[in-house]
Amino acid sequence: MLRHCVSAEWLKLRHSRIWMILMILPLVSVFIGCANFAMNQGALQKEWYSLWSQVGLFYGEFFLPILIAICNAFLCRLEHANKNWNMVMTAPVPAAYIFIAKLMVAGTLLIFVQGFFFFAVFPWW
């Protein structure tokens, strides 16, 4: 039954545009970190390590918590509209399955974003 709850959550996200937010926020973090590294070349001595730390600083401190909040809010937005939580809670599915399904989908999306961030920052050259 949990599998059905997870597939229902994925169905709700099928035509959404959350993927744009999931791609743009890590890229903004990379650009801000690179710009901060470029402006502070005198203070930052180690080349790649300093760049990586600046990008990770902006992503981990500012953008990742915002991204987690946006992802979770987006997953719960349908239930908050028109008081649909009442209808969800009266469904023949245990409430724990619904919350676990939302947690699994949010975790999967955030793992995907972390992988995307890794490939955006990793030195391929």
Side-chain angles (χ1 to χ4, degrees):
M1 186 164 305
L2 180 62
R3 182 173 42 97
H4 295 296
C5 290
V6 172
S7 64
E9 291 298 324
W10 283 115
L11 267 173
K12 288 190 237 177
L13 291 177
R14 186 173 52 172
H15 294 292
S16 69
R17 299 195 194 274
I18 194 169
W19 62 269
M20 291 177 7
I21 296 169
L22 295 177
M23 295 294 117
I24 290 172
L25 278 179
L27 289 178
V28 168
S29 173
V30 169
F31 290 135
I32 290 175
C34 289
N36 190 35
F37 174 73
M39 289 188 288
N40 295 318
Q41 290 263 335
L44 302 171
Q45 301 299 324
K46 297 179 181 170
E47 295 157 5
W48 168 246
Y49 180 73
S50 295
L51 174 63
W52 180 77
S53 67
Q54 292 300 305
V55 171
L57 173 79
F58 280 100
Y59 180 67
E61 292 291 326
F62 300 117
F63 292 102
L64 184 60
I66 292 170
L67 193 61
I68 292 170
I70 288 172
C71 187
N72 288 327
F74 198 84
L75 285 172
C76 294
R77 73 174 164 70
L78 185 63
E79 284 80 10
H80 284 295
N82 299 324
K83 299 181 182 176
N84 284 340
W85 278 114
N86 296 334
M87 187 174 63
V88 169
M89 291 300 149
T90 59
V93 178
Y97 285 1
I98 294 169
F99 293 116
I100 291 170
K102 288 185 182 298
L103 181 66
M104 289 172 64
V105 170
T108 304
L109 290 173
L110 291 171
I111 287 172
F112 174 72
V113 170
Q114 290 294 98
F116 179 72
F117 177 73
F118 173 75
F119 285 111
V121 175
F122 192 75
W124 297 105
W125 54 89

